[in-house]
Amino acid sequence: MTNPPTPPVDVVLPCLDEAGALPWVLDRLPSGWRAIVVDNGSTDGSADLAAALGATVVREPVRGFGAACHAGLLAATADIVCFCDCDASLDPALLPSVADPVLRGDLDLVLGRRRPTSRGAWPPHARLANLELARRIRRRTGLRLHDLGPMRAARRTALLGLELADRRSGYPLEMLVRAADAGWRIAETDVPYAPRTGRSKVTGTWRGTWQAVQDMSAVLRQPTVGTAAQANQPAQPTLPVQPVQPAHPAHPVQAGQAAR
């Protein structure tokens, strides 16, 4: 028996009660790319639905966004790994524009900078928190980024080499900070950001946003990781990747699907 071919890109989709969004999200994935849906304790049948739709399903019982993301990274086998929210706020069809600079070897980490498509897509408190974190990232790393970018791409072995430890909301920031400490070439590209399907578990509430900020503040207080030479040099700044502005397909909520 021969082993199945390794997919060109694995896409990690952390999932907690996203049954309303999963069909649209998985249908929008680029052809040949593998979806790794990491179920983080869903009670709405998300895991079974994802499996029925052809995704690889990983179950991570330890609650936390970072725990789900890292379980997906450990399950990945492709050279390039992308991360994307599983709530239909981001269009997986745009992932090639995020991953291509990494595939070409031009960049080491690319983040999708969220550009809201409507006023309701990004709550004001969450946007303000993101702006403050971006300011602190610039001060900590020298990178002039605008968003933590939940849609992102990097090489799997390099990500594993960062030895990420956070298992809550600080995981995306820890990835960025440790990559910067290691001198990675990092850039961002604009991606449309639509209203999510269903209820947000983090940024949809002031309490959730506050907890996320606390987790990320703890990451920013960590000492610089890397060699002495790397510690004395900021990450290599790069020009933004060409923004992505294709016609956004009908969003599940806009198309009349029932939001949970």
Side-chain angles (χ1 to χ4, degrees):
M1 180 181 295
T2 60
N3 294 324
T6 300
V9 178
D10 279 329
V11 182
V12 175
L13 298 161
C15 176
L16 176 58
D17 293 333
E18 304 291 3
L22 272 169
W24 184 86
V25 169
L26 295 177
D27 183 63
R28 297 291 299 169
L29 221 65
S31 177
W33 292 24
R34 180 172 63 154
I36 301 178
V37 174
V38 184
D39 186 71
N40 204 207
S42 299
T43 59
D44 67 347
S46 288
D48 292 339
L49 176 60
L53 292 171
T56 297
V57 176
V58 174
R59 298 180 187 269
E60 174 50 68
V62 177
R63 283 291 183 94
F65 183 75
C69 287
H70 202 68
L73 174 60
L74 293 176
T77 57
D79 184 31
I80 304 297
V81 176
C82 291
F83 296 83
C84 184
D85 284 350
C86 198
D87 57 13
S89 61
L90 295 163
D91 184 0
L94 303 181
L95 281 168
S97 64
V98 178
D100 280 351
V102 181
L103 283 162
R104 293 194 305 266
D106 296 336
L107 294 170
D108 302 308
L109 175 63
V110 178
L111 313 177
R113 179 186 180 184
R114 290 168 288 185
R115 292 295 199 177
T117 60
S118 68
R119 293 184 63 183
W122 205 348
H125 60 273
R127 192 181 305 195
L128 287 172
N130 187 73
L131 288 172
E132 172 59 17
L133 285 168
R135 183 188 68 81
R136 295 172 66 181
I137 289 169
R138 286 195 293 270
R139 185 174 63 186
R140 167 67 171 75
T141 67
L143 291 169
R144 299 192 62 82
L145 299 175
H146 303 84
D147 187 13
L148 291 181
M151 179 183 279
R152 51 181 61 189
R155 294 195 179 276
R156 178 177 57 85
T157 53
L159 286 171
L160 291 171
L162 294 178
E163 298 183 349
L164 302 176
D166 191 281
R167 294 297 181 265
R168 300 193 346 165
S169 300
Y171 187 87
L173 177 59
E174 184 184 30
M175 181 188 298
L176 176 59
V177 169
R178 291 204 174 191
D181 288 350
W184 286 25
R185 298 163 298 168
I186 302 170
E188 59 186 8
T189 182
D190 292 353
V191 293
Y193 189 53
R196 63 161 288 134
T197 298
R199 180 181 61 85
S200 173
K201 291 79 176 175
V202 180
T203 58
T205 66
W206 280 96
R207 181 177 181 179
T209 299
W210 180 86
Q211 184 61 63
V213 169
Q214 295 304 303
D215 290 345
M216 293 180 185
S217 295
V219 170
L220 289 170
R221 289 193 296 269
Q222 294 175 359
T224 300
V225 177
T227 66
Q230 291 169 342
N232 293 326
Q233 297 180 2
Q236 301 177 32
T238 61
L239 294 175
V241 181
Q242 184 65 31
V244 181
Q245 296 178 339
H248 196 72
H251 186 273
V253 173
Q254 297 167 350
Q257 292 186 12
R260 288 165 290 114

